[in-house]
Amino acid sequence: MSQHPQIDQAVMQERRAYYDKIGTRKMTPLWEVLHALVIPQPKSACMPAIWHYADIRDDIMEAGRLITAKEAERRVLILENPGMPGQSRITTSLYAGLQLILPGEVAPAHRHTQSALRFIVEGDGAYTAVDGEKTIMHEGDFVITPSWTWHDHGNDSDRPMVWMDGLDIPLIQALDCSFMERLPEDSQPLSRPTGDALARYGSGLLPVDFEVKTPTSPVFNYPYCRTREALETMRRAEEWDPCHGLKLQYINPATGQSAMPTIGTFMQLLPKGFNGASYRSSDATVFSVVEGKGYTLVGEGETQQRFDWGKRDTFVIPSWVSHSHHAPDTDAVLFSYSDRPVQKALGLWRESRGNR
Ligand code: 1HN
């Protein structure tokens, strides 16, 4: 508190008049906002949140009766962070949604500068076509649509399919570099057989004259059966990380970097009985439960929350919020994604274990 309120009032008045004056010349004083702009540690508008699949599945299916995939272009329910309503984002930098495609439907071909991932939540047998190749999708598959590649989806199976879309929409918005266009036809022409990319680039081999031309992985479907087998074989080594259990990152086999340039993607196994230690990192992270059940403790002290989760649930942990994973009754498998590659490329990413 000031000892000279009278003087302060006069000074404040003079300053306000000054701010108004310079405002007419499109200027504003840094000293009034500096400490809101540059804060000692992340204080995100993003809130921890969970979507239980059992609670929202009916809503997703109801969308299927209200609008076709073709009319909607993409029939998706956005998973909107409750701390950032109306902003179509699940974290400050990333978007998430659950997309429904019914038997016989087509989501027409388009392309955009935003990169997308699909993580298959329910159903088997629908396809996505990306850049001239079709892939059939199964639960737990991680599928990539690189920036500016044509993509369309269809469902030739007899069951609905639901997947989680993860896109770098808010990031592209911040950079003002969104471009988008549609193909006149619903489905793009195919130029390679199904499975070609995985055989060509995802078998520990590369074509002899292969050159890296884009930062995104040339493998665009990482099938869950392979990922799960890797986790199952590796668990025998019993090298459990106290915070993560056994956690792998998806990589671009041509560069060794993250599979997507803007979105880091991960799969982790928590063995039955796992009691994870507390962890936080500067990349807000979206989790999708692939197998099993358990819970995550989020935050500290009075405001700590417990997210009980099971298969197909989605939850989000904001930047720099401590959390610990627990799987008392079953093995559990968690897929996750975040903006980690962007933060790492800029030398910004941080993590801490325990309460350091
Ligand atoms: C998009 O192209 C897809 O291709 C899904 O399935 C969600 C959200 C915003 C903008 C484009 C898709 C999207 C999207």
Side-chain angles (χ1 to χ4, degrees):
M1 276 296 282
S2 168
Q3 292 170 332
H4 306 286
Q6 296 305 114
I7 297 170
D8 270 5
Q9 274 232 334
V11 170
M12 294 299 276
Q13 214 168 12
E14 199 182 353
R15 286 181 186 171
R16 264 198 300 275
Y18 169 75
Y19 300 161
D20 289 347
K21 181 179 72 181
I22 67 172
T24 66
R25 287 187 280 279
K26 306 174 287 290
M27 295 187 290
T28 188
L30 171 64
W31 60 87
E32 290 290 333
V33 292
L34 175 61
H35 299 292
L37 294 175
V38 181
I39 54 181
Q41 52 178 265
K43 201 173 79 185
S44 182
C46 177
M47 285 165 51
I50 183 163
W51 292 261
H52 293 289
Y53 196 68
D55 295 341
I56 60 174
R57 188 179 186 280
D58 285 352
D59 296 330
I60 297 167
M61 295 305 155
E62 192 176 347
R65 293 186 287 276
L66 289 172
I67 191 166
T68 63
K70 192 172 157 93
E71 190 192 346
E73 190 157 338
R74 297 293 185 266
R75 190 205 288 115
V76 182
L77 298 186
I78 300 172
L79 301 181
E80 195 165 72
N81 192 284
M84 297 177 286
Q87 296 186 37
S88 304
R89 60 186 74 186
I90 189 162
T91 72
T92 306
S93 60
L94 297 174
Y95 160 103
L98 290 171
Q99 177 157 180
L100 170 68
I101 186 151
L102 294 169
E105 284 193 318
V106 170
H110 69 197
R111 63 177 177 175
H112 38 70
T113 45
Q114 290 82 358
S115 296
L117 68 85
R118 328 283 166 198
F119 185 72
I120 314 311
V121 170
E122 179 187 342
D124 286 290
Y127 68 83
T128 185
V130 177
D131 199 20
E133 182 178 334
K134 216 181 223 192
T135 186
I136 309 292
M137 300 183 284
H138 304 277
E139 278 184 19
D141 290 358
F142 158 56
V143 178
I144 303 174
T145 307
S147 177
W148 208 241
T149 53
W150 293 108
H151 54 287
D152 50 273
H153 321 301
N155 189 345
D156 296 333
S157 84
D158 56 5
R159 285 190 291 165
M161 182 180 254
V162 177
W163 64 72
M164 178 169 67
D165 292 308
L167 287 91
D168 53 10
I169 292 171
L171 213 50
I172 299 305
Q173 209 167 34
L175 300 172
D176 262 338
C177 55
S178 176
F179 295 88
M180 191 265 199
E181 61 188 31
R182 289 178 191 81
L183 210 61
E185 306 79 36
D186 281 352
S187 305
Q188 66 184 292
L190 300 173
S191 52
R192 286 184 307 280
T194 291
D196 187 84
L198 189 60
R200 199 176 287 258
Y201 310 110
S203 310
L205 301 161
L206 287 175
V208 68
D209 291 324
F210 180 79
E211 284 173 34
V212 175
K213 294 204 183 86
T214 73
T216 307
S217 173
V219 177
F220 74 110
N221 186 349
Y222 292 72
Y224 184 57
C225 56
R226 286 203 188 176
T227 311
R228 189 70 184 83
E229 191 184 336
L231 289 169
E232 206 53 40
T233 303
M234 283 179 68
R235 77 183 299 163
R236 294 182 210 143
E238 295 276 356
E239 287 165 7
W240 303 108
D241 179 279
C243 301
H244 306 309
L246 171 53
K247 187 168 181 176
L248 303 176
Q249 52 180 319
Y250 290 91
I251 58 127
N252 174 345
T255 63
Q257 301 295 113
S258 59
M260 305 171 70
T262 51
I263 309 181
T265 49
F266 310 89
M267 191 75 91
Q268 74 195 95
L269 171 68
L270 310 177
K272 181 182 170 184
F274 186 71
N275 251 321
S278 182
Y279 177 82
R280 60 181 173 172
S281 59
S282 56
D283 54 326
T285 304
V286 180
F287 290 88
S288 178
V289 183
V290 194
E291 289 182 36
K293 56 189 168 61
Y295 64 93
T296 298
L297 298 176
V298 191
E300 283 161 351
E302 298 277 279
T303 57
Q304 186 174 73
Q305 289 174 270
R306 173 174 162 148
F307 288 162
D308 285 283
W309 41 254
K311 188 171 159 70
R312 301 188 171 113
D313 293 348
T314 307
F315 61 97
V316 57
I317 308 290
S319 167
W320 216 238
V321 169
S322 293
H323 58 282
S324 58
H325 300 305
H326 306 268
D329 304 322
T330 66
D331 283 352
V333 180
L334 304 177
F335 172 81
S336 58
Y337 71 94
S338 76
D339 63 12
R340 188 175 303 184
V342 179
Q343 293 196 26
K344 282 198 164 177
L346 302 176
L348 298 170
W349 184 73
R350 294 191 191 197
E351 64 177 339
S352 95
R353 287 158 182 269
N355 288 317
R356 281 180 296 122

